Structure formats: structure tokens, C-alpha cells
Amino acid sequence: MSQKPKPKPSHGLAACPGCAEPLDSGDRFCGACGYDLSAVPAAETEPDRPTVAIVTPVVWPAAPPREAGSLSTATQHPGDLPGTDSGGRDLPTMPVRTDGPVPAPPGTDAPPSGTPPSGTPTSGGDFELAAPDPRTAVQVDPPGSPQPAPPAPPAPPAQPPQPAQPPAAAPDAAALCVACRAGRVDTDGYCENCGHAQPRERDHMEQELGSVAAVSDRGLRHHRNEDAFAVSATTLPDGSPAALAIVCDGVSSATRPDEASAAAAQAAGASLLAALPRGIHPQQAMHEAIVAAAEAVNSLAEEPGPDGAEHDPHRNSPACTIVGSVVADGLLVVGWVGDSRVYWVPDDRTTPAARLTEDDSWAAQMVAAGLMNEAEAYADERAHAITGWLGADAYELDPHTAAFKPDRSGVVVVCTDGLWNYAEGAEDMARAVPPDAAGRPLGAAQVLVGHALDGGGHDNITVALLPFTVTPPGAGSA
């Protein structure tokens, strides 16, 4: 998971010299045998693996000046971004609507254009937040009702998430340890017999909704999953379909990163789901969704502790990164803050793939400033320190957005560094994506998570896939 800029020791070893246990760069001792890594001779260490350069660098033009009366910072539009196809050629642009959003039906109270909705999803949409954190769930009773909700399933926002229960398992079987199958599980989630920690709801999550799917896994080295995602499908005012995916990675060096990623994914997904059917341009909707996500994460820093006292001022605020994509009306829109990425993988694997985002990281900043070449920057131990994130102590909120119009069908890969660390270059990612990913997005996402686990699974792993289909000319309905 992502790290804020912070100097930390790095031994440079991939495995323990004593027992061959995989290691993280910041480990001081081996967690398996206790080997003192600070005593490893310099000859035994090896430099960090540099990032593989993408085939064609993506150039992000500056955003136009903000218009008077605008409620947010300036964003780029498809007309401002010519973009390139998967072969590196310039793409045709499309005009941007200047007549404002589609007006709300008479009698409705629609929010003004550019105003992000609240972070709570409405009961009428298809949006679902993957693995809501039970610690942040709040019981909401129906307004005016003196009694709790009836046994019948209420609307999703009116009921807090409940731990998943195997429908066919007996209550006694569900309380047994998954490791020793003999001890009972206490209220803290540990076996009273062998002490084994039991799987939690967010340890492994899968969701498929329409043409978009996502999978998230705790990985093999971390004690919890600090990633979160939100996927959804909706329609534009003209009735055409739209699919969206948001992926958030909690900053592990921050306080409560799992809560930050869950709040950001929920707020951004709900914002997009509310904006797209109203006719807001997908790129503007993505920008406002990131702003809504940032506000949701910022609000976590203002919450008092369990005893009503303020949080320890010496502890930093909850933080996470965010990346998302919208496929709608022939456009591929991406937006991000941090080092999670979006890749474009065409169905025709003889044409090149591309990375559509640029990391907010120390290494990328050094290369962009011309202070280091790419090999030097990514060999530095500070290479993956992020320079942009969502959180109350972020330097500034600078959402990146871009729009493309591919000339061929393919699949959009939205992922955290838990996956791209094992497939950094665009061609590496294309080789990892199954050939039938567009037709089986959930199965392909499972394969990609397995690819990262097979590579070591040193981080939480989250990936969402959105197929992008180009309709051949003259293939309209009869």
C-alpha cells in the first residue's frame, strides 16, 4: 500500500538470509526467524527494482482557466485532450457541451452542476460499496418510526452491513476456527484454542455488476486489507450505458487507512452515480467525485475518539490514494490522486497497450523535473513515496483527469500498486490480462489477483476491469 514521504531504513533484501522468508524493505528483523537485517553486509543487498518505462509517455496538457462562478477547480475536457490510440496515433476529439446539464424534471430539486452530492448513496441506484467497514457503519432508522426496522429487508442505506454468514452452515460450525476446526472464535476474531486470526469480511472481496467487476485481496504479508473499491453501472440521459470503477489504497503510514479508503470509495462512487444520469460530462463528474472523496476522508480526522476526546495530535490523519475510470458514450475517462494506476489493454494483443496515468510519486517528480533519469530515480529508496493523497494533512488537493476515445475495443484495468508492482510496464500488464477479459471481467480480475499472489503478495491487491467496446461503422440497430 502507499506510503507518505518518510525516510525509512532499507536493507535491499528480497528474502531473509537465514530462512528465505520474503521481506519488506522497511523490515529490521525477519518475522519468521528473527534474523537481524541491519547486520547484513552491503554485498548481500541489491538495489530496488526500477519501474519499467511505458511504451509511449502520456503528456497531460494544462487545464484551462477556471470560469467565473465555477464551484471547483478547472478540469480538462475531451476537446482539450487529443490523446492517442493504442498505436500512438492522434485520436479524434469530440465537442464539449456548452448548454449546461440536462435540466431536472419539473417538481424535482436537483443540485446545481458541478456540486458534488453527499457521500451517502441513494436507495434508488445500482451503486454498491465493496466491503463496508463495520466499524464505520451507523444504524439509520426510518424517519418518524418509533420502532426498529422490521424483519423484512429494508432499503440498503437503512440497515448497517452485517458479517457474511454461510447460508448452509450451522451456527456452531460458523463459530469454529478455520485453522484448527476445534477452538471457538472470541469476540476479537481469534481462536481461543490455537490463537489463529480468523478471516475478516474485507480479507477477500469480489463483485460483478453489469459489465464491470472488481476483486480485492489482503495479500500474503499484511494483517488486514486497507484497499477498497466501488463499481457500478448506470445510464446517461439519452439511455446509453455507463460503467464506473473506483479503487482506493489506504496509506499504511497514516491512522486508520482502511477507514479512509472505504470512505473515499463510497463517496466517489455515489458522486459519479448521481452525476452521470443528470448529464454532467463524465470528465467533470470524475473531478467532482475525487473532490467528494477528499471531503469524506477529511471528515474522518474531525471525528472524536470513543471517549469523546480529540484524536492524539501526534498521530497523522487518515489518508488514501484514489484512481477511477468511467466508460460512457464512447469515451474513456480516468481520474486519480496518488500512485494507483489505469492501464489500457486492447483486445488485439498485436497492438500496444498503454498506461493512462502518471504516478504522484517522488521518482516521477524527479524525472519530470529533469533532476534524475528514470533508472536513477526508481533505484532510489524514496522512489515510491507518494507526493499526492487524500487526507486532512495532504499538501493540496490536485485531482488529475483525462479523457480518451480509443479506436478499438479493449479492457480498462484500474488497480493499486499491489498488482502493478508485479506488472509495471503496459506490456507486462497486457501479458497478465487474460485474452477473454472483456467477456469475463470477474474471472480476469481473479486471475490478476492470483498473478500478484504468485509473485509474493507483499501488499493488498485490488483490481477492477471495465470492458470498452467500439461499435463498427454501420452496425447500428435496424
CSV table of all heavy atoms in Angstrom, one decimal, residues 330-365:
chain,number,residue,atom,x,y,z
A,330,GLY,N,-18.8,6.3,-25.6
A,330,GLY,CA,-17.6,6.2,-26.5
A,330,GLY,C,-16.4,6.8,-25.9
A,330,GLY,O,-15.3,6.9,-26.6
A,331,LEU,N,-16.4,7.3,-24.7
A,331,LEU,CA,-15.3,7.9,-24.0
A,331,LEU,C,-14.7,7.1,-22.9
A,331,LEU,O,-15.5,6.3,-22.3
A,331,LEU,CB,-15.7,9.3,-23.4
A,331,LEU,CG,-15.9,10.5,-24.3
A,331,LEU,CD1,-16.3,11.7,-23.4
A,331,LEU,CD2,-14.6,10.8,-25.0
A,332,LEU,N,-13.4,7.2,-22.7
A,332,LEU,CA,-12.7,6.5,-21.6
A,332,LEU,C,-12.1,7.6,-20.8
A,332,LEU,O,-11.2,8.3,-21.2
A,332,LEU,CB,-11.6,5.6,-22.1
A,332,LEU,CG,-10.6,5.1,-21.1
A,332,LEU,CD1,-11.2,4.4,-19.9
A,332,LEU,CD2,-9.6,4.1,-21.8
A,333,VAL,N,-12.7,7.8,-19.6
A,333,VAL,CA,-12.3,8.9,-18.7
A,333,VAL,C,-11.6,8.3,-17.5
A,333,VAL,O,-12.0,7.3,-16.9
A,333,VAL,CB,-13.5,9.7,-18.2
A,333,VAL,CG1,-13.1,10.8,-17.2
A,333,VAL,CG2,-14.2,10.4,-19.4
A,334,VAL,N,-10.5,8.9,-17.1
A,334,VAL,CA,-9.7,8.5,-15.9
A,334,VAL,C,-9.5,9.7,-15.0
A,334,VAL,O,-9.4,10.8,-15.4
A,334,VAL,CB,-8.4,7.8,-16.3
A,334,VAL,CG1,-8.6,6.6,-17.1
A,334,VAL,CG2,-7.5,8.8,-17.0
A,335,GLY,N,-9.3,9.4,-13.7
A,335,GLY,CA,-9.0,10.4,-12.7
A,335,GLY,C,-8.3,9.8,-11.6
A,335,GLY,O,-8.5,8.6,-11.2
A,336,TRP,N,-7.3,10.5,-10.9
A,336,TRP,CA,-6.6,9.9,-9.9
A,336,TRP,C,-5.9,10.9,-9.0
A,336,TRP,O,-5.7,12.1,-9.4
A,336,TRP,CB,-5.5,8.9,-10.5
A,336,TRP,CG,-4.3,9.6,-11.1
A,336,TRP,CD1,-3.1,9.8,-10.6
A,336,TRP,CD2,-4.3,10.1,-12.5
A,336,TRP,NE1,-2.3,10.5,-11.5
A,336,TRP,CE2,-3.0,10.7,-12.6
A,336,TRP,CE3,-5.2,10.2,-13.5
A,336,TRP,CZ2,-2.6,11.3,-13.8
A,336,TRP,CZ3,-4.8,10.8,-14.7
A,336,TRP,CH2,-3.5,11.4,-14.8
A,337,VAL,N,-5.5,10.5,-7.8
A,337,VAL,CA,-4.6,11.2,-6.9
A,337,VAL,C,-3.8,10.2,-6.3
A,337,VAL,O,-4.3,9.3,-5.6
A,337,VAL,CB,-5.3,12.1,-5.9
A,337,VAL,CG1,-4.3,12.7,-4.9
A,337,VAL,CG2,-6.1,13.2,-6.6
A,338,GLY,N,-2.5,10.1,-6.4
A,338,GLY,CA,-1.6,9.1,-5.8
A,338,GLY,C,-0.9,8.2,-6.8
A,338,GLY,O,-0.7,8.7,-8.0
A,339,ASP,N,-0.6,7.0,-6.4
A,339,ASP,CA,0.1,6.1,-7.3
A,339,ASP,C,-0.6,4.9,-7.7
A,339,ASP,O,0.0,3.9,-8.3
A,339,ASP,CB,1.4,5.7,-6.6
A,339,ASP,CG,1.2,4.9,-5.3
A,339,ASP,OD1,0.0,4.9,-4.8
A,339,ASP,OD2,2.2,4.3,-4.8
A,340,SER,N,-1.9,4.8,-7.6
A,340,SER,CA,-2.7,3.7,-8.2
A,340,SER,C,-2.8,4.1,-9.7
A,340,SER,O,-2.8,5.3,-10.0
A,340,SER,CB,-4.0,3.6,-7.5
A,340,SER,OG,-3.9,3.1,-6.2
A,341,ARG,N,-3.1,3.1,-10.5
A,341,ARG,CA,-2.9,3.3,-11.9
A,341,ARG,C,-4.1,2.8,-12.8
A,341,ARG,O,-4.9,2.0,-12.3
A,341,ARG,CB,-1.7,2.6,-12.5
A,341,ARG,CG,-0.4,3.2,-11.9
A,341,ARG,CD,0.8,2.4,-12.5
A,341,ARG,NE,2.1,3.0,-12.0
A,341,ARG,CZ,3.3,2.5,-12.4
A,341,ARG,NH1,3.4,1.4,-13.1
A,341,ARG,NH2,4.4,3.1,-11.9
A,342,VAL,N,-4.2,3.3,-14.0
A,342,VAL,CA,-5.1,2.8,-15.0
A,342,VAL,C,-4.3,2.4,-16.2
A,342,VAL,O,-3.5,3.1,-16.7
A,342,VAL,CB,-6.2,3.8,-15.4
A,342,VAL,CG1,-7.1,3.3,-16.5
A,342,VAL,CG2,-7.0,4.3,-14.2
A,343,TYR,N,-4.6,1.2,-16.8
A,343,TYR,CA,-3.9,0.7,-18.0
A,343,TYR,C,-5.0,0.4,-19.0
A,343,TYR,O,-6.1,0.0,-18.7
A,343,TYR,CB,-3.2,-0.7,-17.7
A,343,TYR,CG,-2.0,-0.6,-16.8
A,343,TYR,CD1,-2.1,-0.6,-15.4
A,343,TYR,CD2,-0.7,-0.5,-17.4
A,343,TYR,CE1,-1.0,-0.5,-14.6
A,343,TYR,CE2,0.4,-0.4,-16.6
A,343,TYR,CZ,0.3,-0.4,-15.2
A,343,TYR,OH,1.4,-0.4,-14.4
A,344,TRP,N,-4.6,0.6,-20.3
A,344,TRP,CA,-5.5,0.3,-21.4
A,344,TRP,C,-4.9,-0.9,-22.1
A,344,TRP,O,-3.7,-0.9,-22.5
A,344,TRP,CB,-5.5,1.5,-22.4
A,344,TRP,CG,-6.0,1.1,-23.8
A,344,TRP,CD1,-5.3,1.0,-24.9
A,344,TRP,CD2,-7.3,0.8,-24.2
A,344,TRP,NE1,-6.0,0.6,-26.0
A,344,TRP,CE2,-7.3,0.5,-25.6
A,344,TRP,CE3,-8.6,0.7,-23.5
A,344,TRP,CZ2,-8.5,0.1,-26.2
A,344,TRP,CZ3,-9.7,0.3,-24.2
A,344,TRP,CH2,-9.7,0.1,-25.5
A,345,VAL,N,-5.6,-2.0,-22.2
A,345,VAL,CA,-5.2,-3.3,-22.9
A,345,VAL,C,-6.1,-3.6,-24.0
A,345,VAL,O,-7.3,-3.9,-23.8
A,345,VAL,CB,-5.1,-4.4,-21.9
A,345,VAL,CG1,-4.7,-5.7,-22.6
A,345,VAL,CG2,-4.2,-4.1,-20.7
A,346,PRO,N,-5.7,-3.4,-25.3
A,346,PRO,CA,-6.6,-3.7,-26.4
A,346,PRO,C,-6.9,-5.2,-26.5
A,346,PRO,O,-6.1,-6.0,-26.1
A,346,PRO,CB,-5.9,-3.2,-27.6
A,346,PRO,CG,-4.4,-3.2,-27.2
A,346,PRO,CD,-4.4,-3.0,-25.7
A,347,ASP,N,-8.1,-5.5,-27.1
A,347,ASP,CA,-8.4,-6.9,-27.3
A,347,ASP,C,-7.4,-7.5,-28.3
A,347,ASP,O,-7.1,-8.7,-28.2
A,347,ASP,CB,-9.8,-7.0,-27.9
A,347,ASP,CG,-10.9,-6.7,-26.8
A,347,ASP,OD1,-10.5,-6.7,-25.6
A,347,ASP,OD2,-12.0,-6.5,-27.2
A,348,ASP,N,-7.0,-6.8,-29.3
A,348,ASP,CA,-6.0,-7.2,-30.3
A,348,ASP,C,-4.6,-7.1,-29.6
A,348,ASP,O,-4.1,-6.0,-29.6
A,348,ASP,CB,-6.1,-6.4,-31.6
A,348,ASP,CG,-5.1,-6.9,-32.6
A,348,ASP,OD1,-4.4,-7.9,-32.4
A,348,ASP,OD2,-5.0,-6.2,-33.7
A,349,ARG,N,-4.0,-8.1,-29.1
A,349,ARG,CA,-2.8,-8.0,-28.4
A,349,ARG,C,-1.6,-7.8,-29.3
A,349,ARG,O,-0.5,-7.6,-28.8
A,349,ARG,CB,-2.5,-9.3,-27.6
A,349,ARG,CG,-3.6,-9.5,-26.6
A,349,ARG,CD,-3.8,-8.3,-25.6
A,349,ARG,NE,-5.0,-8.4,-24.8
A,349,ARG,CZ,-5.0,-9.1,-23.7
A,349,ARG,NH1,-4.0,-9.8,-23.2
A,349,ARG,NH2,-6.2,-9.2,-22.9
A,350,THR,N,-1.8,-7.7,-30.6
A,350,THR,CA,-0.7,-7.3,-31.5
A,350,THR,C,-0.5,-5.8,-31.5
A,350,THR,O,0.5,-5.4,-32.0
A,350,THR,CB,-1.0,-7.8,-33.0
A,350,THR,OG1,-2.1,-7.2,-33.5
A,350,THR,CG2,-1.1,-9.3,-33.0
A,351,THR,N,-1.4,-5.1,-31.0
A,351,THR,CA,-1.3,-3.6,-30.9
A,351,THR,C,-0.9,-3.3,-29.4
A,351,THR,O,-1.2,-4.0,-28.5
A,351,THR,CB,-2.6,-2.9,-31.2
A,351,THR,OG1,-3.6,-3.4,-30.3
A,351,THR,CG2,-3.0,-3.2,-32.6
A,352,PRO,N,-0.1,-2.2,-29.3
A,352,PRO,CA,0.5,-2.0,-27.9
A,352,PRO,C,-0.6,-1.5,-26.9
A,352,PRO,O,-1.6,-0.9,-27.2
A,352,PRO,CB,1.5,-0.8,-28.2
A,352,PRO,CG,1.0,-0.2,-29.4
A,352,PRO,CD,0.3,-1.2,-30.3
A,353,ALA,N,-0.3,-1.9,-25.7
A,353,ALA,CA,-1.1,-1.4,-24.5
A,353,ALA,C,-0.5,-0.1,-24.1
A,353,ALA,O,0.5,0.4,-24.6
A,353,ALA,CB,-1.0,-2.4,-23.4
A,354,ALA,N,-1.2,0.6,-23.1
A,354,ALA,CA,-0.7,1.9,-22.7
A,354,ALA,C,-1.1,2.1,-21.2
A,354,ALA,O,-2.1,1.5,-20.7
A,354,ALA,CB,-1.3,3.0,-23.5
A,355,ARG,N,-0.3,2.9,-20.5
A,355,ARG,CA,-0.6,3.3,-19.2
A,355,ARG,C,-1.2,4.7,-19.3
A,355,ARG,O,-0.6,5.6,-19.9
A,355,ARG,CB,0.6,3.3,-18.3
A,355,ARG,CG,0.3,3.4,-16.8
A,355,ARG,CD,1.6,3.3,-16.0
A,355,ARG,NE,2.0,4.7,-15.6
A,355,ARG,CZ,3.3,5.0,-15.2
A,355,ARG,NH1,4.2,4.0,-15.1
A,355,ARG,NH2,3.6,6.2,-14.9
A,356,LEU,N,-2.3,4.9,-18.7
A,356,LEU,CA,-3.1,6.2,-18.9
A,356,LEU,C,-2.9,7.2,-17.7
A,356,LEU,O,-3.5,8.2,-17.7
A,356,LEU,CB,-4.6,5.9,-19.1
A,356,LEU,CG,-4.9,4.9,-20.2
A,356,LEU,CD1,-6.4,4.8,-20.3
A,356,LEU,CD2,-4.3,5.4,-21.5
A,357,THR,N,-2.2,6.8,-16.7
A,357,THR,CA,-2.0,7.7,-15.5
A,357,THR,C,-0.5,7.9,-15.3
A,357,THR,O,0.3,7.1,-15.7
A,357,THR,CB,-2.7,7.1,-14.3
A,357,THR,OG1,-2.1,5.8,-14.0
A,357,THR,CG2,-4.2,7.0,-14.5
A,358,GLU,N,-0.2,9.0,-14.6
A,358,GLU,CA,1.2,9.2,-14.1
A,358,GLU,C,1.2,9.3,-12.6
A,358,GLU,O,0.4,9.9,-12.0
A,358,GLU,CB,1.7,10.6,-14.7
A,358,GLU,CG,1.9,10.5,-16.2
A,358,GLU,CD,3.1,9.7,-16.6
A,358,GLU,OE1,3.9,9.4,-15.7
A,358,GLU,OE2,3.2,9.4,-17.8
A,359,ASP,N,2.1,8.6,-12.0
A,359,ASP,CA,2.1,8.5,-10.5
A,359,ASP,C,2.4,9.8,-9.9
A,359,ASP,O,3.2,10.6,-10.4
A,359,ASP,CB,3.2,7.5,-10.1
A,359,ASP,CG,3.0,6.1,-10.5
A,359,ASP,OD1,1.9,5.8,-11.0
A,359,ASP,OD2,3.9,5.3,-10.5
A,360,ASP,N,1.7,10.1,-8.8
A,360,ASP,CA,2.1,11.2,-7.9
A,360,ASP,C,3.2,10.6,-6.9
A,360,ASP,O,2.8,10.2,-5.8
A,360,ASP,CB,0.9,11.7,-7.1
A,360,ASP,CG,0.0,12.5,-7.9
A,360,ASP,OD1,0.5,13.2,-8.8
A,360,ASP,OD2,-1.2,12.4,-7.8
A,361,SER,N,4.4,10.5,-7.3
A,361,SER,CA,5.4,9.8,-6.5
A,361,SER,C,6.7,10.6,-6.6
A,361,SER,O,6.9,11.5,-7.5
A,361,SER,CB,5.7,8.4,-7.0
A,361,SER,OG,6.3,8.4,-8.3
A,362,TRP,N,7.6,10.4,-5.7
A,362,TRP,CA,8.9,11.0,-5.6
A,362,TRP,C,9.7,10.8,-6.9
A,362,TRP,O,10.3,11.7,-7.5
A,362,TRP,CB,9.7,10.6,-4.4
A,362,TRP,CG,11.0,11.3,-4.2
A,362,TRP,CD1,11.3,12.4,-3.5
A,362,TRP,CD2,12.3,10.8,-4.8
A,362,TRP,NE1,12.6,12.7,-3.6
A,362,TRP,CE2,13.3,11.8,-4.3
A,362,TRP,CE3,12.7,9.8,-5.6
A,362,TRP,CZ2,14.6,11.7,-4.7
A,362,TRP,CZ3,14.0,9.7,-5.9
A,362,TRP,CH2,15.0,10.6,-5.5
A,363,ALA,N,9.7,9.6,-7.4
A,363,ALA,CA,10.5,9.2,-8.6
A,363,ALA,C,10.0,9.9,-9.8
A,363,ALA,O,10.7,10.5,-10.6
A,363,ALA,CB,10.5,7.7,-8.8
A,364,ALA,N,8.6,9.9,-10.0
A,364,ALA,CA,8.1,10.6,-11.1
A,364,ALA,C,8.3,12.1,-11.1
A,364,ALA,O,8.5,12.7,-12.1
A,364,ALA,CB,6.5,10.3,-11.2
A,365,GLN,N,8.3,12.6,-9.9
A,365,GLN,CA,8.6,14.1,-9.8
A,365,GLN,C,10.0,14.4,-10.1
A,365,GLN,O,10.3,15.4,-10.8
A,365,GLN,CB,8.3,14.5,-8.3
A,365,GLN,CG,8.1,16.0,-8.1
A,365,GLN,CD,7.6,16.3,-6.7
A,365,GLN,OE1,8.3,16.0,-5.7
A,365,GLN,NE2,6.4,16.8,-6.6
